Amino acid sequence: MKTRRTRDVLIAGDANVDLLLHGAPPLELDTEKLVKGLDLTLGGSSSITAFNLARLGTRVGFISVLGDDFFGRFVAERLRYAGVDLSHLKWLSNEKTGLTIWHIRGARRAGVTYEGTISLLRASDIPDDYLAKFRHLHLGAYFLVKNLHRGAPELFRRARRLGLTTSLDCNYDPAGKWQSGIRDAIKEADIFFPNEDEAKQISGKSDAKAAAVELSKLARIVAIKRGARGVLIHGGEGTVELKAAKVKAVERTGAGDSFNAGFLSRFVRGAPLAECARAGIEAGGRAVTRVGGTTAFE
């Protein structure tokens, strides 16, 4: 019997809390510094994409691993508020939910992350009967979700056999190696969502266009996020370059994750790539008008 697809996008990957410290001076050992402000917000590339995609009117499910603690309950509460289905969220009583602290100075920032449960999701945590209810599978923060590396290619193949399209975002590689089997995972994905630096690192190319061509030998569609310079899309419809939205940027946490949300909100409805990219740019631009990756979508 054919499974009835009652939902649009299943997002799997990282979930954590972001602590944003504004006006943070450089840290020095054995000293104490003051900051001008702070915000505690939903963090994690995958969970930010899930929140914002749901707020854009898409039916979203989310699978990740959380600690049964204050931060884990905070993450779940925010995602439920957005209307995200959390029926397959995995809770661990003996592990702590991850935390990223962002030191923000003007337009620049530096982050330090406690992994906690971020890296613990496995492909086996995503069952076929739940996966089959969706039209699309998105895997976020590949380099952080280390327990999923080995199973990611087969997870995408499972999704394809069940009739889903798929996408992958990698985020920064803290190890600085840009390997971890990611090319095998990209090869099984329909869409790859790197930013410009990530695309260059993984492809070994020195400019975005060459990186897009190289990576398109693996994924069917490559969407390279270029911040204030917009986005470059390379796929079956050729190459599309679009400028960034003109907005007053307040803080850029989650801009790329929000681009993913906007893009996928149109992609699952069968829109052309240019329309998907414009929706992504609009969502990314919306995100940076408020502090935190999801605040502008509340």
Side-chain angles (χ1 to χ4, degrees), residues 183 202-205 209-218 222:
R183 292 180 72 89
I202 295 167
S203 68
K205 301 298 181 180
K209 288 185 179 180
V213 171
E214 179 66 21
L215 293 170
S216 68
K217 297 175 183 177
L218 302 174
V222 178

Side-chain angles (χ1 to χ4, degrees), residues 88-256:
H88 284 68
L89 202 61
K90 185 174 181 180
W91 296 89
L92 296 178
S93 60
N94 60 339
E95 299 285 351
K96 295 179 180 178
T97 302
L99 168 70
T100 296
I101 300 175
W102 292 105
H103 288 244
I104 300 170
R105 299 183 69 195
R108 304 189 69 185
R109 63 179 186 165
V112 58
T113 295
Y114 166 70
E115 281 186 313
T117 56
I118 290 173
S119 64
L120 300 183
L121 182 70
R122 297 179 183 274
S124 57
D125 294 324
I126 306 168
D128 281 358
D129 59 348
Y130 187 58
L131 188 56
K133 295 179 180 180
F134 294 85
R135 293 180 172 85
H136 184 89
L137 169 68
H138 175 75
L139 173 60
Y142 176 88
F143 286 119
L144 293 180
V145 191
K146 292 180 288 189
N147 278 7
L148 198 58
H149 289 174
R150 181 174 295 181
E154 177 55 29
L155 173 61
F156 283 142
R157 287 191 289 268
R158 274 203 286 136
R160 185 166 61 245
R161 289 194 294 269
L162 291 168
L164 286 77
T165 50
T166 57
S167 56
L168 173 68
D169 198 346
C170 58
N171 285 56
Y172 186 82
D173 180 10
K177 297 179 179 179
W178 303 98
Q179 298 296 327
S180 304
I182 192 168
R183 292 180 72 89
D184 293 333
I186 298 171
K187 193 182 298 184
E188 300 296 340
D190 291 301
I191 310 169
F192 183 41
F193 284 120
N195 67 27
E196 186 167 0
D197 183 56
E198 293 159 356
K200 291 177 183 178
Q201 293 283 1
I202 295 167
S203 68
K205 301 298 181 180
S206 59
D207 68 86
K209 288 185 179 180
V213 171
E214 179 66 21
L215 293 170
S216 68
K217 297 175 183 177
L218 302 174
R220 181 165 62 90
I221 300 165
V222 178
I224 298 180
K225 297 167 283 190
R226 308 179 73 189
R229 289 180 291 163
V231 64
L232 187 154
I233 311 286
H234 189 85
E237 300 173 22
T239 300
V240 177
E241 290 188 74
L242 295 174
K243 295 180 179 179
K246 292 184 178 180
V247 297
K248 184 177 180 180
V250 174
E251 198 272 316
R252 62 188 181 90
T253 298

Side-chain angles (χ1 to χ4, degrees), residues 18 20 41-44 48 52 102 104 109 251-258 287-288 290-294:
D18 277 353
L20 285 68
T41 66
L42 178 66
I48 289 173
N52 294 348
W102 292 105
I104 300 170
R109 63 179 186 165
E251 198 272 316
R252 62 188 181 90
T253 298
D257 310 319
S258 302
V288 301
R290 300 286 297 275
V291 172
T294 60

Side-chain angles (χ1 to χ4, degrees), residues 5-24:
R5 300 192 190 278
T6 57
R7 296 165 185 154
D8 298 314
V9 181
L10 174 60
I11 296 178
D14 62 324
N16 60 271
V17 170
D18 277 353
L19 177 62
L20 285 68
L21 303 178
H22 304 280

